[in-house]
């Protein structure tokens, strides 16, 4: 689990997020997932140049976020990092109830929230790429992930709404648990 204290924020991310915060016209929340969260909290060794997010609150601020910090933005060219909206993702139904604020009170308008580590692992289930499997293995080591919690959350919150063949995802989850977790 993330600690109660904010993780260390290094450049280019620190200066990029400060610049984003100063350009936002109002307060927003961003629900983050992916390599940025895994690297920040769980020692993912692979660097990332994007901050993946699934949701912006209020929702009508998403276009503003992309204009200020998206891949084609002035800030992205300046800092060589950017925000990346993930349009389709399989997430447990109640993920928002378990979000952790990344840098409380650090920015004036920008509030970043990270997925719970079990939700972060489950967000990688449908794609199941080699990078996703490496990320889950790292989460399993760093957190460590709890196999029964992962199974339960999958069955209750993700499987009923999952994109794709549920039986295939059942097998993938069990493969992950056998390979990376202690049951």
């Amino acid at each position: 689990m993330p600690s109660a204290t904010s993780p260390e924020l290094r450049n280019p991310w620190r200066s990029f997020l400060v610049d984003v915060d100063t350009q936002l016209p109002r307060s927003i929340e961003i629900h983050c997932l992916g390599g940025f969260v895994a690297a920040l909290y769980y020692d993912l060794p692979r660097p990332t140049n994007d901050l993946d997010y699934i949701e912006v609150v209020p929702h009508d601020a998403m276009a503003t976020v992309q204009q200020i910090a998206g891949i084609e933005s002035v800030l992205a060219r300046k800092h060589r990092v950017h925000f990346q909206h993930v349009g389709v993702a399989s997430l447990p139904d109640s993920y928002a109830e378990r979000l952790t604020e990344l840098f409380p009170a650090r920015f004036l308008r920008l509030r970043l929230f990270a997925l719970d580590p079990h939700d972060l692992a489950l967000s990688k289930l449908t794609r199941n790429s080699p990078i996703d499997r490496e990320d889950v293995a790292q989460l399993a080591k760093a957190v460590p992930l709890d196999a029964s919690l992962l199974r339960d959350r999958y069955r209750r919150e993700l499987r009923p709404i999952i994109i794709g063949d549920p039986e295939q995802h059942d097998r993938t989850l069990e493969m992950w648990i056998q390979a990376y977790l202690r049951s």
Side-chain angles (χ1 to χ4, degrees):
M1 286 292 200
S3 66
T5 61
S6 292
E8 183 180 353
L9 185 58
R10 297 181 181 176
N11 277 324
W13 288 108
R14 180 178 52 229
S15 56
F16 173 73
L17 293 174
V18 166
D19 283 354
V20 169
D21 183 58
T22 60
Q23 290 190 26
L24 288 172
R26 61 181 168 159
S27 295
I28 62 161
E29 290 182 13
I30 298 180
H31 300 178
C32 307
L33 66 163
F36 177 81
V37 172
L40 196 64
Y41 270 130
Y42 308 114
D43 300 322
L44 180 72
R46 176 177 41 84
T48 184
N49 67 344
D50 64 1
L51 191 159
D52 294 325
Y53 68 93
I54 189 66
E55 184 71 42
V56 173
V57 178
H59 187 72
D60 67 347
M62 188 178 305
T64 302
V65 168
Q66 283 304 120
Q67 181 181 20
I68 292 170
I71 195 165
E72 299 294 325
S73 69
V74 171
L75 291 181
R77 287 190 296 275
K78 175 182 175 184
H79 297 283
R80 299 178 186 214
V81 294
H82 63 276
F83 283 8
Q84 176 70 44
H85 178 247
V86 176
V88 177
S90 293
L91 292 171
D93 195 41
S94 299
Y95 85 89
E97 297 170 10
R98 296 181 291 270
L99 292 169
T100 300
E101 189 163 4
L102 289 172
F103 309 103
R106 180 144 190 195
F107 303 110
L108 183 62
R109 295 178 191 92
L110 180 63
R111 295 183 67 205
L112 299 174
F113 291 84
L115 288 181
D116 163 275
H118 293 83
D119 292 339
L120 184 58
L122 289 171
S123 76
K124 297 177 172 294
L125 189 65
T126 56
R127 193 170 70 170
N128 190 32
S129 72
I131 288 173
D132 293 322
R133 290 189 296 273
E134 289 173 23
D135 291 355
V136 171
Q138 179 61 31
L139 284 170
K141 248 189 328 188
V143 173
L145 295 175
D146 179 284
S148 60
L149 178 58
L150 203 60
R151 278 189 189 105
D152 183 58
R153 199 169 288 173
Y154 168 72
R155 287 184 189 130
R156 284 186 304 107
E157 296 186 36
L158 184 57
R159 194 177 195 279
I161 60 172
I162 201 157
I163 298 167
D165 177 14
E167 284 87 23
Q168 178 182 343
H169 300 308
D170 295 350
R171 289 187 299 274
T172 300
L173 180 64
E174 288 308 314
M175 177 198 67
W176 286 2
I177 289 170
Q178 292 303 314
Y180 311 129
L181 287 72
R182 295 179 199 96
S183 296

